[in-house]
Amino acid sequence: MGALASRSTREFKRLITPLQLRWRARPNTKASRANKVFIAGCARSGTTLMQSLMWCFEDIFVHPPEARHTMLYLLDRQETNLVVKRDARSHEDLAKLSAAIGLIYCVRHPFDVLTSSHPQTRMERRFHVMPDRWLLEHNALLKLRKVQAGRDILYVRYEDMIGEPNLVQQRIARQFGLKPIIRFSEDPKNPIRATSIRKWEQNEEYLAYLQGLPPVFLARLRGFCNEFGYDMPVWANS
């Protein structure tokens, strides 16, 4: 009888374990009802600043770590609005972003992106975002727009976050039905600094690097700049 009971127990566990795993991995019911916003964009384009500024709205939870967009369905929170910022590999499945998730896509002049350093990679390379990484991010955006042609994307330029933060906040509030509790420009945790804009124009090292980029890559950058209202120096347009 003991052996039979033991075998029955093992058989029961074998059958129930897959059900338990599916139950634990199920989307959280609270998160399913929440207003969900995903922040995407190339590294050094303002995604971290945007993530921090989103706390300026009421009834909101901003997931602290970087994560994939699927995290928005797993958060067990009481807040009505949930925000997640992309991680380093989110471009790989950006085109699979659910239509139920709102999208803020941060952009910045590509010359600033390509000449920006980062504490985590400063010892490895001079600039954080290399041309191949920029291309991966831009290709992911193009694929998303092709696959989801009707998707409403809120593009936010880094330069506008610095120059007109409160207007950017108003756009975000209208887009996602959010209510500000403090203006972006008055957030003590995020002092607005304009020193990170167009540093490459006055830096000979940066200019030499940019001028050495392949012409085919510069052509891609021109298309990006034309779309988002950035100007290119004369030498980059030839």
Side-chain angles (χ1 to χ4, degrees), residues 9 24 28 41 63 67 80 83 94 124-125 129 140-141 148 154 188 208 221 231 233:
T9 300
R24 291 170 185 168
N28 183 272
H63 187 56
T80 303
V83 178
L94 183 64
E124 303 173 18
R125 55 185 181 271
V129 177
L141 173 62
Q148 302 185 35
L154 179 62
L221 298 185
D231 62 303

Side-chain angles (χ1 to χ4, degrees), residues 38-57:
F38 188 61
I39 300 172
C42 186
R44 314 310 291 167
S45 293
T47 56
T48 299
L49 176 59
M50 176 57 67
Q51 177 191 39
S52 186
L53 286 171
M54 291 299 287
W55 283 109
C56 292
F57 296 104

Side-chain angles (χ1 to χ4, degrees), residues 90-224:
S90 287
H91 61 274
E92 296 177 352
D93 60 358
L94 183 64
K96 297 179 182 179
L97 185 68
S98 170
I101 298 176
L103 177 60
I104 297 176
Y105 198 92
C106 297
V107 299
R108 185 182 182 185
H109 195 298
F111 282 3
D112 278 321
V113 173
L114 293 165
T115 56
S116 178
S117 61
H118 192 285
Q120 293 180 354
T121 57
R122 191 169 292 155
M123 301 301 294
E124 303 173 18
R125 55 185 181 271
R126 181 68 180 86
F127 302 122
H128 183 63
V129 177
M130 305 304 291
D132 57 346
R133 170 66 185 276
W134 191 92
L135 285 172
L136 285 174
E137 295 283 0
H138 192 224
N139 287 339
L141 173 62
L142 296 179
K143 182 178 179 180
L144 170 69
R145 297 198 303 203
K146 181 178 180 180
V147 173
Q148 302 185 35
R151 170 176 280 278
D152 188 9
I153 301 174
L154 179 62
Y155 294 102
V156 175
R157 303 195 330 162
Y158 177 81
E159 295 79 4
D160 295 335
M161 278 199 287
I162 300 301
E164 300 178 310
N166 297 328
L167 291 180
V168 170
Q169 185 179 26
Q170 292 173 17
R171 291 176 57 210
I172 295 172
R174 289 194 301 268
Q175 182 85 357
F176 304 110
L178 302 176
K179 184 176 180 180
I181 54 176
I182 184 173
R183 296 199 300 177
F184 278 3
S185 63
E186 299 172 353
D187 182 7
K189 297 180 181 179
N190 295 287
I192 302 300
R193 300 185 180 93
T195 56
S196 58
I197 296 177
R198 303 183 76 91
K199 292 170 63 175
W200 51 271
E201 287 185 314
Q202 305 301 324
N203 188 302
E204 292 184 2
E205 177 193 357
Y206 292 2
L207 281 172
Y209 171 71
L210 294 169
Q211 289 169 352
L213 294 173
V216 66
F217 181 61
L218 288 173
R220 174 70 82 87
L221 298 185
R222 283 199 297 273
F224 179 92

